[in-house]
Amino acid sequence: MLAFLRRHPSPLFNRHGIDIDFPMLAGCLALLGLGLVMIASASSEIAAANTGSTLYYLVRHLVYVLLGLIAAGLTLLVPVSTWMRLSGPLLLAAVLLLIMVLVPGIGREVNGSMRWIGFGLFNIQPSELAKIFVIIYLASYLARRQSEVRDQWWGFLKPFLILLPMAFLLLMEPDFGATVVMMGAAVAMLFLGGVGLFRFGLLVVLAVLAVYVLVQTQQYRMQRLITFTDPWADQYGAGYQLTQALIAFGRGEWLGLGLGNSVQKQFFLPEAHTDFVFSVLAEELGAIGALATVALFAFIGIRALFIGLWAEKARNFFGAYVAWGMSFLWLGQFLINVGVNVGLLPTKGLTLPFLSYGGSSLVVTCASMAILLRIEWESRIDPADKKNRFEKEDPTNGSFADGATHGR
């Protein structure tokens, strides 16, 4: 098996040994390690009450981390061109999964939402796969139809024939947060694809109007928006989660109460190990620990954007769009989750990448990290060089060898 893999170079098997973008890998692994520590702390009380073992959720999360690392290792072996070739079937698979989760008897309802498909001890969340597959398909479309997207209205509108039905399926679950993140990343990719400012501005206006209509049509969304403006007005009702999260931040002050010493995790703060793990982190590690975590997220997000720039310079436009799309997904989820925790955004159930408890999110995030690492490696390796020698240059200097220009 190893001999077969070595005949097909990858970041794990090539003449240079393991050849991976270490800064990106180190940043992601640091967040995974921090997530393990915080899940162990934040879930201990609820795990003891529900299962009798304080380590129950930690053990499951550790299994998810191992599965995620295995998925990342396998994904590293897949050439970027394969993802482009399979972009259509992957999109079809995403649509089928989003339909299946709405079918009674197949989809599993948790807290009033049909977002999971059960497989024995584990649940799969189709929306996590759908977000990645949409990014891959849209990247393929932009790479193949750059001039059409830039110059023609039809080229600009065609992606929405796919995106809008998928957004509708997500809203049927309902999963408003995943819809916003997916559509936001798609719009940002279209902008980088060279869409004119007039069309882009029109798209932004329509998106804002759509969000307004969606909020108005569902009472619970309007209630969340009202509560968000003044959570203390109903601190034991609709504003309970947010007020408890803010109390956690206040308790932590600058240096925190110490690892494992959170008071809010003791049944005061709901979903302490999932949606609100950042509040527990701020309570135990203080503002210094919270800001360091923000800096680490900012680093991997910006690093992913640079991987896109390097791929663009190497004329791998598909890889560039995928890298940018992945970065927007990560940063979008991070900003929404942290914004909810600190009271800057209405309460919305979105996991914190690499940190929150959740199998589907963690495994898919690790796989997307591996795709980024593969794109970075292929951007440095010259396929015509049998010795796999490379030289990375500053992506802001120079131009493409044949004088080609990009949509932007």
Side-chain angles (χ1 to χ4, degrees):
M1 180 65 176
L2 292 180
F4 171 78
L5 293 174
R6 288 192 177 96
R7 289 198 299 268
H8 299 78
S10 72
L12 298 180
F13 299 97
N14 58 80
R15 290 177 57 87
H16 301 281
I18 297 178
D19 182 15
I20 292 178
D21 180 13
F22 180 76
M24 170 62 86
L25 180 63
C28 294
L29 291 181
L31 286 172
L32 280 175
L34 180 61
L36 272 173
V37 173
M38 293 315 306
I39 294 302
S41 175
S43 67
S44 58
E45 298 296 331
I46 189 173
N50 292 343
T51 68
S53 171
T54 58
L55 301 178
Y56 175 79
Y57 291 110
L58 172 63
V59 172
R60 287 178 65 91
H61 189 72
L62 183 59
V63 171
Y64 295 146
V65 169
L66 293 176
L67 290 176
L69 293 177
I70 292 172
L74 295 175
T75 304
L76 277 171
L77 304 178
V78 180
V80 175
S81 59
T82 301
W83 293 111
M84 185 173 183
R85 188 171 65 253
L86 296 177
S87 59
L90 290 175
L91 182 70
L92 179 60
V95 173
L96 292 176
L97 286 172
L98 291 178
I99 294 173
M100 287 174 60
V101 78
L102 299 174
V103 177
I106 298 179
R108 182 174 293 181
E109 183 175 348
V110 179
N111 295 331
S113 298
M114 296 279 286
R115 300 181 186 176
W116 292 267
I117 298 176
F119 289 92
L121 298 176
F122 300 98
N123 293 327
I124 292 179
Q125 193 169 357
S127 62
E128 295 294 334
L129 289 171
K131 287 183 292 187
I132 300 299
F133 292 166
V134 163
I135 293 301
I136 291 174
Y137 179 81
L138 187 55
S140 173
Y141 175 79
L142 291 172
R144 291 181 286 108
R145 303 294 180 92
Q146 283 186 17
S147 59
E148 186 178 347
V149 172
R150 292 198 307 267
D151 303 330
Q152 301 178 23
W153 276 94
W154 180 234
F156 165 69
L157 293 174
K158 275 196 291 188
F160 292 97
L161 298 178
I162 300 294
L163 292 172
L164 292 179
M166 294 191 70
F168 176 76
L169 290 173
L170 286 171
L171 291 172
M172 290 287 290
E173 296 182 4
D175 196 342
F176 186 66
T179 306
V180 171
V181 170
M182 183 188 76
M183 295 299 290
V187 168
M189 290 174 67
L190 285 170
F191 177 71
L192 292 178
V195 172
L197 287 178
F198 174 75
R199 280 175 287 173
F200 181 76
L202 179 62
L203 180 60
V204 171
V205 171
L206 291 176
V208 172
L209 290 175
V211 170
Y212 175 79
V213 171
L214 289 172
V215 170
Q216 292 288 334
T217 54
Q218 292 291 336
Q219 182 60 36
Y220 79 93
R221 292 183 188 133
M222 177 58 69
Q223 184 60 45
R224 285 182 177 180
L225 185 61
I226 295 173
T227 303
F228 153 71
T229 58
D230 186 12
W232 301 101
D234 190 14
Q235 60 179 306
Y236 298 110
Y240 182 77
Q241 278 185 308
L242 181 53
T243 55
Q244 295 303 313
L246 294 175
I247 290 172
F249 278 91
R251 288 183 184 275
E253 298 185 346
W254 283 103
L255 299 178
L257 301 177
L259 195 60
N261 293 330
S262 169
V263 175
Q264 294 305 105
K265 70 181 182 183
Q266 299 178 12
F267 307 104
F268 292 103
L269 181 62
E271 310 295 341
H273 61 300
T274 55
D275 298 341
F276 285 89
V277 68
F278 190 76
S279 296
V280 177
L281 183 151
E283 185 181 6
E284 295 187 351
L285 304 183
I288 300 299
L291 290 174
T293 304
V294 170
L296 198 52
F297 267 108
F299 169 75
I300 65 169
I302 294 172
R303 186 75 178 182
L305 291 174
F306 270 97
I307 288 175
L309 287 175
W310 295 329
E312 180 189 45
K313 181 175 173 59
R315 304 193 74 252
N316 179 6
F317 297 136
F318 170 74
Y321 287 124
V322 170
W324 290 326
M326 299 290 189
S327 177
F328 295 138
L329 282 182
W330 287 0
L331 291 175
Q333 281 194 223
F334 166 73
L335 291 174
I336 292 176
N337 183 279
V338 173
V340 167
N341 275 254
V342 301
L344 293 177
L345 293 172
T347 302
K348 177 57 16 230
L350 270 180
T351 57
L352 192 59
F354 294 106
L355 260 73
S356 294
Y357 175 84
S360 296
S361 174
L362 194 61
V363 172
V364 171
T365 300
C366 289
S368 62
M369 171 195 69
I371 293 175
L372 285 169
L373 293 174
R374 178 81 192 203
I375 292 170
E376 190 276 338
W377 179 76
E378 290 193 12
S379 299
R380 288 187 285 118
I381 297 298
D382 182 1
D385 187 350
K386 295 182 179 179
K387 295 183 179 180
N388 288 341
R389 294 176 181 171
F390 60 87
E391 178 181 358
K392 183 188 292 184
E393 299 176 356
D394 185 350
T396 62
N397 294 330
S399 58
F400 300 124
D402 60 358
T405 57
H406 184 256
R408 295 183 295 112

